[in-house]
PDB file of all heavy atoms in Angstrom:
ATOM      1  N   GLU A 242      40.157  29.746  -9.456  1.00 82.00           N
ATOM      2  CA  GLU A 242      40.845  31.034  -9.405  1.00 82.00           C
ATOM      3  C   GLU A 242      41.536  31.270  -7.980  1.00 82.00           C
ATOM      4  O   GLU A 242      40.938  30.809  -6.975  1.00 82.00           O
ATOM      5  CB  GLU A 242      39.891  32.133  -9.579  1.00 82.00           C
ATOM      6  CG  GLU A 242      39.298  32.170 -11.097  1.00 82.00           C
ATOM      7  CD  GLU A 242      40.368  32.693 -12.033  1.00 82.00           C
ATOM      8  OE1 GLU A 242      41.153  33.587 -11.727  1.00 82.00           O
ATOM      9  OE2 GLU A 242      40.398  32.091 -13.160  1.00 82.00           O
ATOM     10  N   PRO A 243      42.638  31.900  -7.990  1.00 80.00           N
ATOM     11  CA  PRO A 243      43.364  32.107  -6.675  1.00 80.00           C
ATOM     12  C   PRO A 243      42.473  32.711  -5.611  1.00 80.00           C
ATOM     13  O   PRO A 243      42.545  32.399  -4.429  1.00 80.00           O
ATOM     14  CB  PRO A 243      44.496  32.996  -7.094  1.00 80.00           C
ATOM     15  CG  PRO A 243      44.812  32.659  -8.490  1.00 80.00           C
ATOM     16  CD  PRO A 243      43.439  32.426  -9.096  1.00 80.00           C
ATOM     17  N   SER A 244      41.691  33.799  -5.988  1.00 79.00           N
ATOM     18  CA  SER A 244      40.858  34.468  -4.987  1.00 79.00           C
ATOM     19  C   SER A 244      39.774  33.471  -4.385  1.00 79.00           C
ATOM     20  O   SER A 244      39.521  33.639  -3.173  1.00 79.00           O
ATOM     21  CB  SER A 244      40.118  35.697  -5.620  1.00 79.00           C
ATOM     22  OG  SER A 244      39.252  35.168  -6.738  1.00 79.00           O
ATOM     23  N   LEU A 245      39.284  32.622  -5.203  1.00 84.00           N
ATOM     24  CA  LEU A 245      38.402  31.524  -4.583  1.00 84.00           C
ATOM     25  C   LEU A 245      39.057  30.566  -3.780  1.00 84.00           C
ATOM     26  O   LEU A 245      38.457  30.000  -2.833  1.00 84.00           O
ATOM     27  CB  LEU A 245      37.641  30.942  -5.744  1.00 84.00           C
ATOM     28  CG  LEU A 245      36.416  31.634  -6.322  1.00 84.00           C
ATOM     29  CD1 LEU A 245      35.809  30.833  -7.461  1.00 84.00           C
ATOM     30  CD2 LEU A 245      35.363  31.880  -5.293  1.00 84.00           C
ATOM     31  N   GLN A 246      40.306  30.270  -4.109  1.00 87.00           N
ATOM     32  CA  GLN A 246      41.130  29.348  -3.323  1.00 87.00           C
ATOM     33  C   GLN A 246      41.270  29.840  -1.813  1.00 87.00           C
ATOM     34  O   GLN A 246      41.146  29.051  -0.901  1.00 87.00           O
ATOM     35  CB  GLN A 246      42.481  29.177  -3.857  1.00 87.00           C
ATOM     36  CG  GLN A 246      42.493  28.384  -5.262  1.00 87.00           C
ATOM     37  CD  GLN A 246      43.891  28.335  -5.805  1.00 87.00           C
ATOM     38  OE1 GLN A 246      44.865  28.435  -5.082  1.00 87.00           O
ATOM     39  NE2 GLN A 246      44.003  28.297  -7.209  1.00 87.00           N
ATOM     40  N   ALA A 247      41.373  31.163  -1.657  1.00 85.00           N
ATOM     41  CA  ALA A 247      41.473  31.744  -0.331  1.00 85.00           C
ATOM     42  C   ALA A 247      40.221  31.524   0.424  1.00 85.00           C
ATOM     43  O   ALA A 247      40.178  31.177   1.658  1.00 85.00           O
ATOM     44  CB  ALA A 247      41.822  33.201  -0.380  1.00 85.00           C
ATOM     45  N   ARG A 248      39.076  31.788  -0.196  1.00 84.00           N
ATOM     46  CA  ARG A 248      37.765  31.580   0.475  1.00 84.00           C
ATOM     47  C   ARG A 248      37.487  30.126   0.776  1.00 84.00           C
ATOM     48  O   ARG A 248      36.979  29.861   1.906  1.00 84.00           O
ATOM     49  CB  ARG A 248      36.607  32.201  -0.419  1.00 84.00           C
ATOM     50  CG  ARG A 248      36.566  33.686  -0.449  1.00 84.00           C
ATOM     51  CD  ARG A 248      35.157  34.156  -0.782  1.00 84.00           C
ATOM     52  NE  ARG A 248      34.219  33.828   0.287  1.00 84.00           N
ATOM     53  CZ  ARG A 248      32.941  34.189   0.167  1.00 84.00           C
ATOM     54  NH1 ARG A 248      32.492  34.806  -0.883  1.00 84.00           N
ATOM     55  NH2 ARG A 248      32.053  33.877   1.159  1.00 84.00           N
ATOM     56  N   LEU A 249      37.892  29.220  -0.081  1.00 88.00           N
ATOM     57  CA  LEU A 249      37.621  27.845   0.093  1.00 88.00           C
ATOM     58  C   LEU A 249      38.514  27.384   1.290  1.00 88.00           C
ATOM     59  O   LEU A 249      38.032  26.575   2.149  1.00 88.00           O
ATOM     60  CB  LEU A 249      38.006  27.049  -1.169  1.00 88.00           C
ATOM     61  CG  LEU A 249      37.925  25.556  -1.085  1.00 88.00           C
ATOM     62  CD1 LEU A 249      36.557  25.034  -0.619  1.00 88.00           C
ATOM     63  CD2 LEU A 249      38.382  24.855  -2.395  1.00 88.00           C
ATOM     64  N   LEU A 250      39.747  27.888   1.371  1.00 89.00           N
ATOM     65  CA  LEU A 250      40.562  27.532   2.490  1.00 89.00           C
ATOM     66  C   LEU A 250      39.987  27.868   3.807  1.00 89.00           C
ATOM     67  O   LEU A 250      40.035  27.151   4.781  1.00 89.00           O
ATOM     68  CB  LEU A 250      42.005  28.254   2.345  1.00 89.00           C
ATOM     69  CG  LEU A 250      43.018  27.964   3.402  1.00 89.00           C
ATOM     70  CD1 LEU A 250      43.390  26.459   3.490  1.00 89.00           C
ATOM     71  CD2 LEU A 250      44.234  28.825   3.213  1.00 89.00           C
ATOM     72  N   ARG A 251      39.377  29.067   3.813  1.00 87.00           N
ATOM     73  CA  ARG A 251      38.765  29.540   5.083  1.00 87.00           C
ATOM     74  C   ARG A 251      37.679  28.637   5.583  1.00 87.00           C
ATOM     75  O   ARG A 251      37.520  28.236   6.755  1.00 87.00           O
ATOM     76  CB  ARG A 251      38.255  30.933   4.918  1.00 87.00           C
ATOM     77  CG  ARG A 251      37.606  31.511   6.160  1.00 87.00           C
ATOM     78  CD  ARG A 251      37.164  32.979   6.002  1.00 87.00           C
ATOM     79  NE  ARG A 251      36.406  33.447   7.215  1.00 87.00           N
ATOM     80  CZ  ARG A 251      35.120  33.554   7.201  1.00 87.00           C
ATOM     81  NH1 ARG A 251      34.432  33.229   6.134  1.00 87.00           N
ATOM     82  NH2 ARG A 251      34.493  33.953   8.338  1.00 87.00           N
TER      83      ARG A 251
END
Side-chain angles (χ1 to χ4, degrees):
E242 292 290 320
S244 59
L245 278 177
Q246 293 177 25
R248 286 205 65 181
L249 176 59
L250 177 63
R251 178 172 175 262

